[in-house]
Amino acid sequence: EDKVVQSPLSLVVHEGDTVTLNCSYEVTNFRSLLWYKQEKKAPTFLFMLTSSGIEKKSGRLSSILDKKELSSILNITATQTGDSAIYLCAVPAGGTSYGKLTFGQGTILTVHP
Amino acid sequence: NAGVTQTPKFQVLKTGQSMTLQCAQDMNHEYMSWYRQDPGMGLRLIHYSVGAGITDQGEVPNGYNVSRSTTEDFPLRLLSAAPSQTSVYFCASSPPHSGGYTFGSGTRLTVV
């Protein structure tokens, strides 16, 4: 059974801090790892990582995959209150297609002014 | 472009009632999925579809049915509502082999 575990489950920081969120996975025939951000309502897609050691960046957010360690990290630098959200990682099940995703529990990030 | 539209946004059911949560997308996406979200448990897959006429079970399918007669629509039916089905339900769609799902705004369901 595929498994995705995120840590920490919650994190409280102040504006300007840098945070690192972790995601580890166990999946048959790994294909890729996905990061989503969920604010008030629907999750929105951030990154897809397929290759180990290649960093994906979008503004102050960056993510990297470590296939050897079966994990990924999401970094947010110079945090802002607008970064407060639930961050979710997911993997496609069984490496067969992206029709079936397994999500982690999510990390709740709270950024105080 | 509406994206993924879910209706209703809120619903209260009595135990034993049945209902259908509607999901429609206008992006011609082949893949569609239903998730439920409970506190501390992330998103759990209920059912998914990789194309019209094709559906399969996810992690937590019991008590739910789906069908996919068109590319656009993917309704989720609760057969006999139970308090354990109190949750927020999300529908999502994606092009094939993408992983970049677009989510609807969710349906908050309470079963009393």
Side-chain angles (χ1 to χ4, degrees):
Chain A
E1 183 181 315
D2 299 334
K3 194 173 178 183
V4 179
V5 176
Q6 293 184 244
S7 64
L9 294 181
S10 65
L11 192 54
V12 180
V13 300
H14 288 94
E15 273 193 319
D17 288 349
T18 293
V19 299
T20 298
L21 311 183
N22 299 283
C23 176
S24 62
Y25 59 87
E26 296 174 26
V27 60
T28 307
N29 297 325
F30 176 82
R31 192 170 188 176
S32 65
L33 186 141
L34 312 165
W35 283 99
Y36 284 81
K37 177 183 181 183
Q38 183 178 20
E39 295 176 82
K40 297 284 185 191
K41 289 186 177 179
T44 54
F45 175 68
L46 291 174
F47 299 115
M48 181 165 73
L49 304 161
T50 56
S51 301
S52 201
I54 306 294
E55 186 181 48
K56 288 275 183 98
K57 290 197 76 168
S58 177
R60 295 174 294 100
L61 276 67
S62 64
S63 184
I64 196 160
L65 178 67
D66 186 337
K67 283 187 179 179
K68 188 176 175 185
E69 296 296 326
L70 306 183
S71 66
S72 173
I73 60 170
L74 177 67
N75 283 320
I76 309 175
T77 58
T79 52
Q80 302 171 356
T81 54
D83 295 325
S84 295
I86 301 173
Y87 291 85
L88 297 156
C89 70
V91 293
T96 52
S97 82
Y98 293 89
K100 187 176 182 181
L101 299 184
T102 299
F103 280 84
Q105 324 94 298
T107 294
I108 302 171
L109 175 64
T110 304
V111 182
H112 288 310
Chain B
N1 221 357
V4 178
T5 303
Q6 287 184 237
T7 55
K9 295 194 185 309
F10 300 94
Q11 183 71 50
V12 178
L13 287 179
K14 293 184 179 178
T15 298
Q17 286 185 316
S18 63
M19 78 159 295
T20 299
L21 306 185
Q22 301 291 344
C23 176
Q25 53 95 4
D26 62 359
M27 298 170 285
N28 203 32
H29 285 171
E30 287 187 37
Y31 289 6
M32 295 187 76
S33 304
W34 275 103
Y35 292 87
R36 60 177 288 173
Q37 186 171 37
D38 303 293
M41 300 190 74
L43 293 166
R44 291 187 292 168
L45 182 64
I46 304 172
H47 287 284
Y48 67 103
S49 168
V50 296
I54 306 168
T55 64
D56 205 348
Q57 296 182 348
E59 183 185 352
V60 289
N62 292 341
Y64 308 94
N65 271 355
V66 292
S67 59
R68 183 99 180 268
S69 55
T70 66
T71 299
E72 294 77 22
D73 299 299
F74 191 43
L76 178 72
R77 280 180 285 277
L78 278 71
L79 309 172
S80 176
S84 60
Q85 293 178 305
T86 293
S87 188
V88 179
Y89 291 84
F90 287 101
C91 178
S93 74
S94 164
H97 313 300
S98 163
Y101 276 81
T102 301
F103 281 77
S105 58
T107 296
R108 184 172 293 275
L109 175 70
T110 303
V111 183
V112 298

PDB file of all heavy atoms in Angstrom, chain B residues 55-80:
ATOM      1  N   THR B  55     -14.276   3.926 -14.480  1.00  0.00           N
ATOM      2  CA  THR B  55     -14.134   4.388 -13.098  1.00  0.00           C
ATOM      3  C   THR B  55     -13.440   3.302 -12.285  1.00  0.00           C
ATOM      4  O   THR B  55     -13.453   2.118 -12.665  1.00  0.00           O
ATOM      5  CB  THR B  55     -15.491   4.713 -12.448  1.00  0.00           C
ATOM      6  OG1 THR B  55     -16.268   3.519 -12.369  1.00  0.00           O
ATOM      7  CG2 THR B  55     -16.249   5.766 -13.243  1.00  0.00           C
ATOM      8  N   ASP B  56     -12.869   3.703 -11.167  1.00  0.00           N
ATOM      9  CA  ASP B  56     -12.209   2.746 -10.295  1.00  0.00           C
ATOM     10  C   ASP B  56     -12.233   3.266  -8.873  1.00  0.00           C
ATOM     11  O   ASP B  56     -12.450   4.462  -8.633  1.00  0.00           O
ATOM     12  CB  ASP B  56     -10.769   2.499 -10.741  1.00  0.00           C
ATOM     13  CG  ASP B  56     -10.248   1.135 -10.305  1.00  0.00           C
ATOM     14  OD1 ASP B  56     -10.907   0.477  -9.461  1.00  0.00           O
ATOM     15  OD2 ASP B  56      -9.178   0.729 -10.794  1.00  0.00           O
ATOM     16  N   GLN B  57     -12.014   2.341  -7.936  1.00  0.00           N
ATOM     17  CA  GLN B  57     -12.074   2.700  -6.527  1.00  0.00           C
ATOM     18  C   GLN B  57     -10.766   3.296  -6.054  1.00  0.00           C
ATOM     19  O   GLN B  57      -9.691   2.927  -6.517  1.00  0.00           O
ATOM     20  CB  GLN B  57     -12.385   1.444  -5.698  1.00  0.00           C
ATOM     21  CG  GLN B  57     -13.736   0.852  -5.983  1.00  0.00           C
ATOM     22  CD  GLN B  57     -14.006  -0.360  -5.106  1.00  0.00           C
ATOM     23  OE1 GLN B  57     -13.118  -0.882  -4.445  1.00  0.00           O
ATOM     24  NE2 GLN B  57     -15.244  -0.805  -5.102  1.00  0.00           N
ATOM     25  N   GLY B  58     -10.904   4.187  -5.087  1.00  0.00           N
ATOM     26  CA  GLY B  58      -9.738   4.727  -4.423  1.00  0.00           C
ATOM     27  C   GLY B  58      -9.536   4.077  -3.075  1.00  0.00           C
ATOM     28  O   GLY B  58      -9.858   2.911  -2.869  1.00  0.00           O
ATOM     29  N   GLU B  59      -9.066   4.872  -2.141  1.00  0.00           N
ATOM     30  CA  GLU B  59      -8.714   4.374  -0.807  1.00  0.00           C
ATOM     31  C   GLU B  59      -9.935   4.116   0.071  1.00  0.00           C
ATOM     32  O   GLU B  59      -9.954   3.198   0.882  1.00  0.00           O
ATOM     33  CB  GLU B  59      -7.798   5.414  -0.156  1.00  0.00           C
ATOM     34  CG  GLU B  59      -7.257   5.082   1.202  1.00  0.00           C
ATOM     35  CD  GLU B  59      -6.468   6.246   1.792  1.00  0.00           C
ATOM     36  OE1 GLU B  59      -6.217   7.236   1.081  1.00  0.00           O
ATOM     37  OE2 GLU B  59      -6.136   6.170   2.992  1.00  0.00           O
ATOM     38  N   VAL B  60     -10.981   4.968  -0.057  1.00  0.00           N
ATOM     39  CA  VAL B  60     -12.143   4.901   0.830  1.00  0.00           C
ATOM     40  C   VAL B  60     -13.445   4.880   0.038  1.00  0.00           C
ATOM     41  O   VAL B  60     -14.257   5.804   0.130  1.00  0.00           O
ATOM     42  CB  VAL B  60     -12.131   6.063   1.853  1.00  0.00           C
ATOM     43  CG1 VAL B  60     -11.043   5.865   2.885  1.00  0.00           C
ATOM     44  CG2 VAL B  60     -11.956   7.413   1.148  1.00  0.00           C
ATOM     45  N   PRO B  61     -13.725   3.829  -0.748  1.00  0.00           N
ATOM     46  CA  PRO B  61     -14.882   3.849  -1.647  1.00  0.00           C
ATOM     47  C   PRO B  61     -16.210   3.440  -1.023  1.00  0.00           C
ATOM     48  O   PRO B  61     -17.274   3.690  -1.607  1.00  0.00           O
ATOM     49  CB  PRO B  61     -14.486   2.820  -2.703  1.00  0.00           C
ATOM     50  CG  PRO B  61     -13.643   1.834  -1.944  1.00  0.00           C
ATOM     51  CD  PRO B  61     -12.893   2.644  -0.924  1.00  0.00           C
ATOM     52  N   ASN B  62     -16.160   2.794   0.163  1.00  0.00           N
ATOM     53  CA  ASN B  62     -17.391   2.209   0.705  1.00  0.00           C
ATOM     54  C   ASN B  62     -18.432   3.276   1.016  1.00  0.00           C
ATOM     55  O   ASN B  62     -18.161   4.269   1.683  1.00  0.00           O
ATOM     56  CB  ASN B  62     -17.071   1.409   1.960  1.00  0.00           C
ATOM     57  CG  ASN B  62     -16.254   0.170   1.649  1.00  0.00           C
ATOM     58  OD1 ASN B  62     -16.226  -0.272   0.502  1.00  0.00           O
ATOM     59  ND2 ASN B  62     -15.583  -0.372   2.646  1.00  0.00           N
ATOM     60  N   GLY B  63     -19.657   3.037   0.545  1.00  0.00           N
ATOM     61  CA  GLY B  63     -20.756   3.962   0.789  1.00  0.00           C
ATOM     62  C   GLY B  63     -20.943   4.984  -0.312  1.00  0.00           C
ATOM     63  O   GLY B  63     -21.853   5.820  -0.229  1.00  0.00           O
ATOM     64  N   TYR B  64     -20.095   4.918  -1.336  1.00  0.00           N
ATOM     65  CA  TYR B  64     -20.152   5.889  -2.436  1.00  0.00           C
ATOM     66  C   TYR B  64     -20.184   5.165  -3.783  1.00  0.00           C
ATOM     67  O   TYR B  64     -19.532   4.143  -3.951  1.00  0.00           O
ATOM     68  CB  TYR B  64     -18.921   6.793  -2.434  1.00  0.00           C
ATOM     69  CG  TYR B  64     -18.607   7.471  -1.129  1.00  0.00           C
ATOM     70  CD1 TYR B  64     -17.704   6.903  -0.233  1.00  0.00           C
ATOM     71  CD2 TYR B  64     -19.187   8.688  -0.798  1.00  0.00           C
ATOM     72  CE1 TYR B  64     -17.389   7.525   0.962  1.00  0.00           C
ATOM     73  CE2 TYR B  64     -18.871   9.333   0.399  1.00  0.00           C
ATOM     74  CZ  TYR B  64     -17.969   8.744   1.260  1.00  0.00           C
ATOM     75  OH  TYR B  64     -17.660   9.372   2.446  1.00  0.00           O
ATOM     76  N   ASN B  65     -20.922   5.756  -4.724  1.00  0.00           N
ATOM     77  CA  ASN B  65     -20.911   5.271  -6.102  1.00  0.00           C
ATOM     78  C   ASN B  65     -20.617   6.414  -7.045  1.00  0.00           C
ATOM     79  O   ASN B  65     -20.941   7.575  -6.746  1.00  0.00           O
ATOM     80  CB  ASN B  65     -22.288   4.711  -6.493  1.00  0.00           C
ATOM     81  CG  ASN B  65     -22.421   3.241  -6.168  1.00  0.00           C
ATOM     82  OD1 ASN B  65     -21.470   2.601  -5.741  1.00  0.00           O
ATOM     83  ND2 ASN B  65     -23.618   2.715  -6.354  1.00  0.00           N
ATOM     84  N   VAL B  66     -20.003   6.089  -8.184  1.00  0.00           N
ATOM     85  CA  VAL B  66     -19.765   7.090  -9.216  1.00  0.00           C
ATOM     86  C   VAL B  66     -20.101   6.510 -10.574  1.00  0.00           C
ATOM     87  O   VAL B  66     -20.198   5.291 -10.748  1.00  0.00           O
ATOM     88  CB  VAL B  66     -18.291   7.570  -9.249  1.00  0.00           C
ATOM     89  CG1 VAL B  66     -17.937   8.376  -8.008  1.00  0.00           C
ATOM     90  CG2 VAL B  66     -17.345   6.395  -9.436  1.00  0.00           C
ATOM     91  N   SER B  67     -20.251   7.397 -11.543  1.00  0.00           N
ATOM     92  CA  SER B  67     -20.362   7.011 -12.943  1.00  0.00           C
ATOM     93  C   SER B  67     -19.756   8.134 -13.769  1.00  0.00           C
ATOM     94  O   SER B  67     -19.660   9.276 -13.311  1.00  0.00           O
ATOM     95  CB  SER B  67     -21.829   6.789 -13.334  1.00  0.00           C
ATOM     96  OG  SER B  67     -22.580   7.976 -13.121  1.00  0.00           O
ATOM     97  N   ARG B  68     -19.339   7.813 -14.971  1.00  0.00           N
ATOM     98  CA  ARG B  68     -18.731   8.836 -15.845  1.00  0.00           C
ATOM     99  C   ARG B  68     -19.268   8.592 -17.263  1.00  0.00           C
ATOM    100  O   ARG B  68     -18.650   7.931 -18.077  1.00  0.00           O
ATOM    101  CB  ARG B  68     -17.208   8.703 -15.813  1.00  0.00           C
ATOM    102  CG  ARG B  68     -16.501   9.779 -16.624  1.00  0.00           C
ATOM    103  CD  ARG B  68     -15.993  10.891 -15.790  1.00  0.00           C
ATOM    104  NE  ARG B  68     -15.327  11.919 -16.567  1.00  0.00           N
ATOM    105  CZ  ARG B  68     -14.006  11.935 -16.806  1.00  0.00           C
ATOM    106  NH1 ARG B  68     -13.239  10.951 -16.359  1.00  0.00           N
ATOM    107  NH2 ARG B  68     -13.473  12.922 -17.495  1.00  0.00           N
ATOM    108  N   SER B  69     -20.427   9.154 -17.518  1.00  0.00           N
ATOM    109  CA  SER B  69     -21.044   8.959 -18.833  1.00  0.00           C
ATOM    110  C   SER B  69     -20.549   9.984 -19.851  1.00  0.00           C
ATOM    111  O   SER B  69     -20.621   9.743 -21.066  1.00  0.00           O
ATOM    112  CB  SER B  69     -22.569   9.022 -18.730  1.00  0.00           C
ATOM    113  OG  SER B  69     -22.962  10.241 -18.122  1.00  0.00           O
ATOM    114  N   THR B  70     -20.036  11.108 -19.381  1.00  0.00           N
ATOM    115  CA  THR B  70     -19.475  12.120 -20.285  1.00  0.00           C
ATOM    116  C   THR B  70     -18.112  12.550 -19.752  1.00  0.00           C
ATOM    117  O   THR B  70     -17.798  12.333 -18.580  1.00  0.00           O
ATOM    118  CB  THR B  70     -20.360  13.373 -20.388  1.00  0.00           C
ATOM    119  OG1 THR B  70     -20.364  14.040 -19.107  1.00  0.00           O
ATOM    120  CG2 THR B  70     -21.788  13.022 -20.771  1.00  0.00           C
ATOM    121  N   THR B  71     -17.318  13.174 -20.589  1.00  0.00           N
ATOM    122  CA  THR B  71     -16.024  13.703 -20.146  1.00  0.00           C
ATOM    123  C   THR B  71     -16.209  14.786 -19.087  1.00  0.00           C
ATOM    124  O   THR B  71     -15.410  14.914 -18.162  1.00  0.00           O
ATOM    125  CB  THR B  71     -15.245  14.279 -21.341  1.00  0.00           C
ATOM    126  OG1 THR B  71     -15.013  13.239 -22.276  1.00  0.00           O
ATOM    127  CG2 THR B  71     -13.907  14.872 -20.912  1.00  0.00           C
ATOM    128  N   GLU B  72     -17.292  15.572 -19.213  1.00  0.00           N
ATOM    129  CA  GLU B  72     -17.452  16.759 -18.374  1.00  0.00           C
ATOM    130  C   GLU B  72     -17.919  16.466 -16.957  1.00  0.00           C
ATOM    131  O   GLU B  72     -17.595  17.199 -16.035  1.00  0.00           O
ATOM    132  CB  GLU B  72     -18.468  17.715 -19.026  1.00  0.00           C
ATOM    133  CG  GLU B  72     -18.030  18.327 -20.347  1.00  0.00           C
ATOM    134  CD  GLU B  72     -18.158  17.349 -21.504  1.00  0.00           C
ATOM    135  OE1 GLU B  72     -18.934  16.372 -21.406  1.00  0.00           O
ATOM    136  OE2 GLU B  72     -17.469  17.566 -22.524  1.00  0.00           O
ATOM    137  N   ASP B  73     -18.725  15.422 -16.757  1.00  0.00           N
ATOM    138  CA  ASP B  73     -19.428  15.254 -15.480  1.00  0.00           C
ATOM    139  C   ASP B  73     -18.979  14.001 -14.734  1.00  0.00           C
ATOM    140  O   ASP B  73     -18.783  12.941 -15.336  1.00  0.00           O
ATOM    141  CB  ASP B  73     -20.944  15.172 -15.728  1.00  0.00           C
ATOM    142  CG  ASP B  73     -21.471  16.436 -16.371  1.00  0.00           C
ATOM    143  OD1 ASP B  73     -21.349  17.499 -15.733  1.00  0.00           O
ATOM    144  OD2 ASP B  73     -21.979  16.366 -17.506  1.00  0.00           O
ATOM    145  N   PHE B  74     -18.896  14.130 -13.424  1.00  0.00           N
ATOM    146  CA  PHE B  74     -18.461  12.996 -12.591  1.00  0.00           C
ATOM    147  C   PHE B  74     -19.199  13.098 -11.261  1.00  0.00           C
ATOM    148  O   PHE B  74     -18.646  13.535 -10.253  1.00  0.00           O
ATOM    149  CB  PHE B  74     -16.950  13.048 -12.405  1.00  0.00           C
ATOM    150  CG  PHE B  74     -16.339  11.809 -11.805  1.00  0.00           C
ATOM    151  CD1 PHE B  74     -16.729  10.543 -12.210  1.00  0.00           C
ATOM    152  CD2 PHE B  74     -15.336  11.910 -10.854  1.00  0.00           C
ATOM    153  CE1 PHE B  74     -16.151   9.402 -11.682  1.00  0.00           C
ATOM    154  CE2 PHE B  74     -14.746  10.777 -10.315  1.00  0.00           C
ATOM    155  CZ  PHE B  74     -15.156   9.520 -10.729  1.00  0.00           C
ATOM    156  N   PRO B  75     -20.457  12.686 -11.210  1.00  0.00           N
ATOM    157  CA  PRO B  75     -21.229  12.799  -9.966  1.00  0.00           C
ATOM    158  C   PRO B  75     -20.852  11.731  -8.948  1.00  0.00           C
ATOM    159  O   PRO B  75     -20.490  10.604  -9.306  1.00  0.00           O
ATOM    160  CB  PRO B  75     -22.677  12.611 -10.443  1.00  0.00           C
ATOM    161  CG  PRO B  75     -22.556  11.811 -11.707  1.00  0.00           C
ATOM    162  CD  PRO B  75     -21.260  12.197 -12.343  1.00  0.00           C
ATOM    163  N   LEU B  76     -20.960  12.090  -7.682  1.00  0.00           N
ATOM    164  CA  LEU B  76     -20.681  11.178  -6.569  1.00  0.00           C
ATOM    165  C   LEU B  76     -21.977  10.951  -5.807  1.00  0.00           C
ATOM    166  O   LEU B  76     -22.594  11.899  -5.331  1.00  0.00           O
ATOM    167  CB  LEU B  76     -19.638  11.780  -5.628  1.00  0.00           C
ATOM    168  CG  LEU B  76     -19.288  10.958  -4.385  1.00  0.00           C
ATOM    169  CD1 LEU B  76     -18.456   9.731  -4.772  1.00  0.00           C
ATOM    170  CD2 LEU B  76     -18.525  11.809  -3.364  1.00  0.00           C
ATOM    171  N   ARG B  77     -22.376   9.684  -5.692  1.00  0.00           N
ATOM    172  CA  ARG B  77     -23.633   9.364  -5.003  1.00  0.00           C
ATOM    173  C   ARG B  77     -23.351   8.739  -3.645  1.00  0.00           C
ATOM    174  O   ARG B  77     -22.561   7.792  -3.547  1.00  0.00           O
ATOM    175  CB  ARG B  77     -24.455   8.404  -5.859  1.00  0.00           C
ATOM    176  CG  ARG B  77     -25.216   9.086  -6.975  1.00  0.00           C
ATOM    177  CD  ARG B  77     -26.004   8.064  -7.793  1.00  0.00           C
ATOM    178  NE  ARG B  77     -25.119   7.307  -8.658  1.00  0.00           N
ATOM    179  CZ  ARG B  77     -24.701   7.716  -9.843  1.00  0.00           C
ATOM    180  NH1 ARG B  77     -25.082   8.890 -10.313  1.00  0.00           N
ATOM    181  NH2 ARG B  77     -23.905   6.963 -10.582  1.00  0.00           N
ATOM    182  N   LEU B  78     -24.011   9.303  -2.627  1.00  0.00           N
ATOM    183  CA  LEU B  78     -24.006   8.692  -1.308  1.00  0.00           C
ATOM    184  C   LEU B  78     -25.273   7.839  -1.215  1.00  0.00           C
ATOM    185  O   LEU B  78     -26.383   8.345  -1.360  1.00  0.00           O
ATOM    186  CB  LEU B  78     -24.020   9.755  -0.212  1.00  0.00           C
ATOM    187  CG  LEU B  78     -22.676  10.386   0.142  1.00  0.00           C
ATOM    188  CD1 LEU B  78     -22.182  11.289  -0.965  1.00  0.00           C
ATOM    189  CD2 LEU B  78     -22.770  11.143   1.459  1.00  0.00           C
ATOM    190  N   LEU B  79     -25.097   6.577  -0.950  1.00  0.00           N
ATOM    191  CA  LEU B  79     -26.214   5.636  -1.046  1.00  0.00           C
ATOM    192  C   LEU B  79     -27.131   5.714   0.163  1.00  0.00           C
ATOM    193  O   LEU B  79     -28.346   5.735   0.041  1.00  0.00           O
ATOM    194  CB  LEU B  79     -25.655   4.226  -1.213  1.00  0.00           C
ATOM    195  CG  LEU B  79     -24.618   4.097  -2.348  1.00  0.00           C
ATOM    196  CD1 LEU B  79     -23.979   2.717  -2.326  1.00  0.00           C
ATOM    197  CD2 LEU B  79     -25.273   4.381  -3.691  1.00  0.00           C
ATOM    198  N   SER B  80     -26.549   5.730   1.350  1.00  0.00           N
ATOM    199  CA  SER B  80     -27.305   5.795   2.601  1.00  0.00           C
ATOM    200  C   SER B  80     -26.401   6.509   3.603  1.00  0.00           C
ATOM    201  O   SER B  80     -25.523   5.890   4.186  1.00  0.00           O
ATOM    202  CB  SER B  80     -27.657   4.391   3.088  1.00  0.00           C
ATOM    203  OG  SER B  80     -28.308   4.459   4.342  1.00  0.00           O
TER     204      SER B  80
END
